[in-house]
Amino acid sequence: MFSLVFATNNLHKLREIREITGNTINVRSLTDIGLDADIPETQDTIEGNARQKARFIYEKTGMDCFADDTGLEIAALNGEPGVYSARYAGEGCSFADNVRKVLEEMLGMDDRRACFRCAICLIYKGNEFVFEGRIDGEITFSQSGSDGFGYDPVFRPEGQPQTFAEMPPYLKNGLSHRGRAVHQMLQYLNQFQ
Ligand code: IMP
């Protein structure tokens, strides 16, 4: 089985990645390897941030690892919050602050189209690869659901009756930007089996 360190301090992402990879990969958290680190993400693209996070952990540990970075792009807001999705409502803001800000910015807007894009950077045997996943959908007019994290209560994937936060994890993971990017990574890793 592959053993990869996942470069994140976000426990929601860690749980999702483990649900998505099942028993194909032994996903090791930073806690598992005893690393307490604040991982930088200062680039201006999600791909750049994913590379920066993975390189940071690789340089510290020399272990095979991967990182993801996600952006929510809202058409009527010219692609915002995009790469700045984590701190949309300001430095140190919560998920709830960000969700409130999205709903406020979109007050009175009929065009609700949005997408999540996720970039995963894998560093395996010293080589770096990037995989991307995307899901289109729309921003709802109010919050629904309590599962998931981040913007999940206001994002409804195309063709679905529920927001990500109303779905059981297997349904979100089967559709999501992260699920799609991870499946590409798994396909890529298959050649090394
Ligand atoms: P990052 O990838 O940690 O930089 O995430 C950027 C922002 O998007 C954070 O505010 C996350 O909470 C949010 N986010 C990341 N992945 C998801 C997701 O799967 N659903 C909803 N929000 C997400």
Side-chain angles (χ1 to χ4, degrees):
M1 199 199 286
F2 297 103
S3 191
L4 299 175
V5 176
F6 182 30
T8 190
N9 284 310
N10 179 330
L11 296 181
H12 300 277
K13 281 191 185 177
L14 178 65
R15 194 185 58 221
E16 271 191 17
I17 289 279
R18 283 185 167 147
E19 280 162 0
I20 296 166
T21 54
N23 55 12
T24 56
I25 292 182
N26 173 24
V27 177
R28 304 174 75 192
S29 68
L30 298 186
T31 310
D32 291 338
I33 61 164
L35 186 67
D36 180 11
D38 212 7
I39 308 172
E41 48 174 301
T42 55
Q43 304 304 300
D44 55 11
T45 61
I46 60 166
E47 177 182 326
N49 275 337
R51 286 186 192 272
Q52 184 181 26
K53 294 187 224 182
R55 282 177 195 163
F56 178 82
I57 296 302
Y58 184 68
E59 280 160 18
K60 281 211 170 313
T61 66
M63 294 172 167
D64 295 330
C65 62
F66 69 103
D68 91 341
D69 198 67
T70 295
L72 173 66
E73 297 177 359
I74 300 175
L77 301 180
N78 299 315
E80 279 190 9
V83 70
Y84 304 108
S85 295
R87 45 189 187 280
Y88 189 41
E91 219 49 61
C93 64
S94 66
F95 291 156
D97 296 333
N98 281 337
V99 166
R100 259 196 307 274
K101 173 146 170 137
V102 162
L103 289 177
E104 273 167 28
E105 294 288 327
M106 296 197 72
L107 263 182
M109 290 184 176
D110 291 330
D111 178 3
R112 314 292 297 186
R113 287 171 303 140
C115 73
F116 272 116
R117 290 202 309 119
C118 175
I120 289 187
C121 175
L122 166 72
I123 302 182
Y124 187 65
K125 296 183 191 282
N127 296 312
E128 196 173 302
F129 310 90
V130 171
F131 308 93
E132 282 203 28
R134 172 187 173 131
I135 174 77
D136 289 289
E138 57 184 28
I139 302 297
T140 51
F141 287 91
S142 59
Q143 304 189 41
S144 321
S146 54
D147 251 313
F149 67 100
Y151 297 95
D152 282 348
V154 290
F155 184 83
R156 182 165 49 226
E158 217 165 59
Q160 298 296 317
Q162 298 169 305
T163 66
F164 269 158
E166 293 176 294
M167 294 179 179
Y170 78 89
L171 210 59
K172 176 186 173 187
N173 295 335
L175 295 167
S176 80
H177 46 298
R178 185 167 298 101
R180 290 174 179 180
V182 169
H183 278 112
Q184 284 188 40
M185 178 173 81
L186 294 179
Q187 255 175 8
Y188 175 80
L189 283 169
N190 258 337
Q191 70 185 295
F192 299 106
Q193 295 264 35

